[in-house]
């Protein structure tokens, strides 16, 4: 079952549901010294927005191409809608792909670009026209149908590429870093729009990105990949709040990571002091920056999980102030404070930082 969507809204689902996808031991070896995928096992539900997240070269595109049938796995099995597709060629899988480079036909106009696949399938002209118009209206490019593709902005071109895939009504849509060429504002707008479209259509989306923020705002679940292996799969909140290893913690953007020196039932020791509380056993500890409280040194009574620090750096981000605090012993910690109108701490201020045990996670490297 798909987890609860993280971007919650009220769009009515269409009632249809995309196909489920299962990968069993999928491996890809390009050459003796080039292994792109090392035994990938995944179950993606029909209608789920699923994201593959990982650094460049970790195998994301290769995995998408294997699902699409554009590449053969060296080993393992792919199932779409409960049936093995190992011997089904790409054009017979009800799967469409949107690539990072839009790959539009510059000599055709927007209407012809969107309708191209339907025309190749021999669909009736009137039916093509109707479907293209509907799809273009749906993703808000109805006014651009007569334009030439080389007269469009990057965002408009990406919408055309998306419409060209959606008009085929695939059960599964694969999206390979489709937004990475766009500037930040347009990108976050299209992120939200894509997740709305996906929920309205009920298709299965497999989205690829190297950007953890993008993965978090769009996805029902995310798989973090590194070097051809899945590191962790779960809803965004689980990956961010409970990373299972150091790679996932770092990739989700966490900086406050420390080695555990010693651990017993009442707490654990780190290079900056003792954290009191009952924590899972682990070799490393993460303290989430938004769970700490920072106060002036004089405003706090010493107690468990309170540490003296000096403000080394302050970054103003509008909704939060982000402080890099020097805890002594060559150790720093980053804490964010909500901007609720209180004056900010200046660099050099002596402060006390209180760590909440709910913001502390332990795990093995
Ligand atoms: N056609 C190919 N021939 C040889 N090696 C390849 C080929 N395609 C990808 N690779 C290698 O496989 C690994 C994964 O690549 P890719 O799937 O493109 O990663 P990502 O999309 O995550 O950046 C990389 O080391 C890449 O160099
Ligand atoms: Mg890629």
């Amino acid at each position: 079952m798909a987890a609860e969507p993280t971007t919650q809204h009220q769009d009515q689902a269409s009632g249809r549901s995309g196909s489920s996808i299962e990968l069993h031991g999928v491996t890809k070896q390009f050459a003796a010294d080039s292994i792109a995928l090392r035994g990938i096992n995944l179950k993606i539900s029909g209608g789920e927005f699923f994201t593959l997240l990982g650094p460049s070269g970790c195998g994301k595109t290769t995995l998408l191409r294997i699902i699409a049938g554009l590449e053969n796995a060296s080993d393992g099995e792919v199932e779409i809608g409960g049936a093995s597709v190992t011997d089904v060629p790409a054009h017979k899988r009800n799967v469409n792909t949107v690539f990072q480079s839009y790959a539009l036909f510059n000599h055709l106009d927007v209407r012809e670009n969107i309708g191209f696949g339907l025309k190749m399938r021999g669909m009736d002209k009137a039916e093509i026209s109707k479907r293209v118009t509907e799809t273009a209206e749906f993703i808000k490019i109805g006014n651009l149908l007569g334009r030439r593709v080389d007269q469009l902005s990057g965002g408009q071109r990406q919408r055309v590429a998306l419409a060209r895939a959606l008009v085929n009504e695939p059960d599964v849509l694969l999206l390979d870093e489709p937004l990475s060429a766009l500037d930040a504002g347009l990108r976050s707008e299209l992120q939200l729009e894509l997740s709305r479209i996906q929920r309205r259509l009920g298709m299965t989306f497999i989205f690829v990105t190297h950007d953890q923020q993008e993965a978090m705002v769009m996805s029902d679940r995310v798989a973090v990949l590194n070097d051809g292996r899945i590191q962790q799969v779960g809803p965004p909140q689980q990956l961010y709040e409970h990373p299972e290893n150091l790679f996932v913690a770092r990739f989700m953007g966490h900086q406050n990571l420390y080695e555990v020196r010693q651990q017993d039932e009442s707490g654990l020791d780190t290079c900056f002091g003792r954290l009191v509380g009952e924590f899972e056993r682990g070799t490393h500890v993460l303290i989430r920056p938004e769970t700490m409280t920072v106060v002036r040194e004089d405003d706090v009574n010493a107690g468990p999980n309170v540490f003296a620090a000096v403000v080394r750096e302050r970054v103003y981000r509008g909704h939060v102030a982000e402080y890099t605090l020097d805890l002594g012993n060559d150790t720093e910690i980053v804490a964010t404070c909500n901007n609720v109108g209180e004056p900010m701490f200046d660099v050099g201020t002596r402060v006390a930082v209180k760590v909440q045990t709910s913001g502390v996670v332990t795990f093995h490297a």
Side-chain angles (χ1 to χ4, degrees):
M1 279 296 290
E4 278 294 301
T6 45
T7 307
Q8 298 198 329
H9 51 77
Q10 299 184 336
D11 280 339
Q12 196 71 40
S14 65
R16 62 171 275 179
S17 178
S19 298
S20 62
I21 307 232
E22 290 196 23
L23 306 175
H24 301 283
V26 171
T27 295
K28 180 68 185 181
Q29 179 155 17
F30 284 107
D33 60 346
S34 172
I35 302 176
L37 298 169
R38 302 166 192 267
I40 301 287
N41 297 303
L42 266 183
K43 287 187 182 180
I44 299 169
S45 304
E48 188 170 9
F49 196 127
F50 193 91
T51 295
L52 301 172
L53 172 68
S56 175
C58 72
K60 306 180 295 297
T61 295
T62 304
L63 192 55
L64 272 200
R65 289 175 56 81
I66 288 172
I67 295 169
L70 300 168
E71 193 86 68
N72 290 318
S74 313
D75 199 8
E77 190 85 19
V78 178
E79 287 177 25
I80 300 180
S84 168
V85 292
T86 307
D87 300 318
V88 180
H91 68 276
K92 293 222 170 108
R93 301 184 186 188
N94 199 5
V95 169
N96 265 102
T97 311
V98 179
F99 297 99
Q100 178 180 352
S101 57
Y102 317 121
L104 299 175
F105 303 114
N106 276 323
H107 60 287
L108 302 180
D109 67 18
V110 170
R111 176 177 287 284
E112 292 164 325
N113 263 282
I114 298 173
F116 187 81
L118 301 179
K119 192 174 164 192
M120 295 314 282
R121 273 159 48 187
M123 189 179 278
D124 173 72
K125 263 192 178 165
E127 180 65 18
I128 295 178
S129 174
K130 178 168 160 278
R131 280 225 216 167
V132 169
T133 306
E134 278 172 8
T135 307
E137 300 280 333
F138 183 66
I139 64 170
K140 299 180 188 156
I141 49 171
N143 57 330
L144 301 177
L145 282 169
R147 289 258 194 105
R148 277 178 40 169
V149 164
D150 54 12
Q151 296 170 327
L152 303 178
S153 69
Q156 290 169 331
R157 289 165 76 92
Q158 194 49 281
R159 280 170 202 262
V160 175
L162 188 63
R164 195 175 56 173
L166 290 175
V167 79
N168 295 316
E169 301 185 352
D171 292 329
V172 179
L173 191 62
L174 308 177
L175 302 110
D176 195 353
E177 313 221 17
L179 307 180
S180 56
L182 305 175
D183 60 48
L186 189 57
R187 191 167 172 170
S188 53
E189 190 185 307
L190 280 184
Q191 284 167 359
L192 292 180
E193 205 167 305
L194 257 183
S195 62
R196 286 187 201 115
I197 287 171
Q198 188 269 340
R199 283 178 186 114
R200 245 181 275 153
L201 295 178
M203 281 177 195
T204 310
F205 272 31
I206 306 183
F207 187 90
V208 162
T209 182
H210 60 268
D211 177 338
Q212 97 279 6
Q213 289 292 344
E214 184 160 283
M216 279 201 275
V217 300
M218 299 177 83
S219 319
D220 294 322
R221 285 190 307 152
V222 178
V224 179
L225 261 76
N226 185 34
D227 193 21
R229 284 198 184 87
I230 292 179
Q231 301 291 313
Q232 189 173 347
V233 184
Q237 190 178 358
Q238 191 182 330
L239 295 184
Y240 181 78
E241 295 179 17
H242 300 282
E244 285 171 5
N245 63 40
L246 214 47
F247 181 85
V248 175
R250 289 208 178 103
F251 210 78
M252 295 310 289
H254 290 300
Q255 291 170 273
N256 299 333
L257 296 161
Y258 308 96
E259 276 182 36
V260 173
R261 288 183 167 174
Q262 254 193 336
Q263 187 169 8
D264 57 35
E265 300 75 45
S266 66
L268 54 84
D269 296 335
T270 71
C271 55
F272 62 84
R274 183 168 174 81
L275 288 166
V276 176
E278 278 182 43
F279 306 113
E280 302 253 319
R281 293 271 155 180
T283 56
H284 287 75
V285 59
L286 155 68
I287 305 173
R288 285 198 283 122
E290 62 277 20
T291 63
M292 288 176 259
T293 319
V294 184
V295 293
R296 282 191 175 279
E297 192 184 33
D298 314 331
D299 293 349
V300 74
N301 298 318
N305 300 336
V306 177
F307 303 92
V310 177
V311 177
R312 281 285 168 251
E313 190 177 51
R314 179 178 79 200
V315 180
Y316 176 67
R317 295 194 187 277
H319 63 303
V320 294
E322 183 181 290
Y323 297 102
T324 302
L325 306 173
D326 186 341
L327 292 165
N329 271 347
D330 277 336
T331 306
E332 289 183 339
I333 197 163
V334 176
T336 50
C337 298
N338 281 331
N339 181 358
V340 290
E342 304 267 318
M344 290 190 287
F345 301 111
D346 291 327
V347 168
T349 307
R350 304 186 70 83
V351 294
V353 52
K354 178 150 180 57
V355 174
Q356 315 283 347
T357 51
S358 59
V360 175
V361 193
T362 51
F363 48 82
H364 291 277

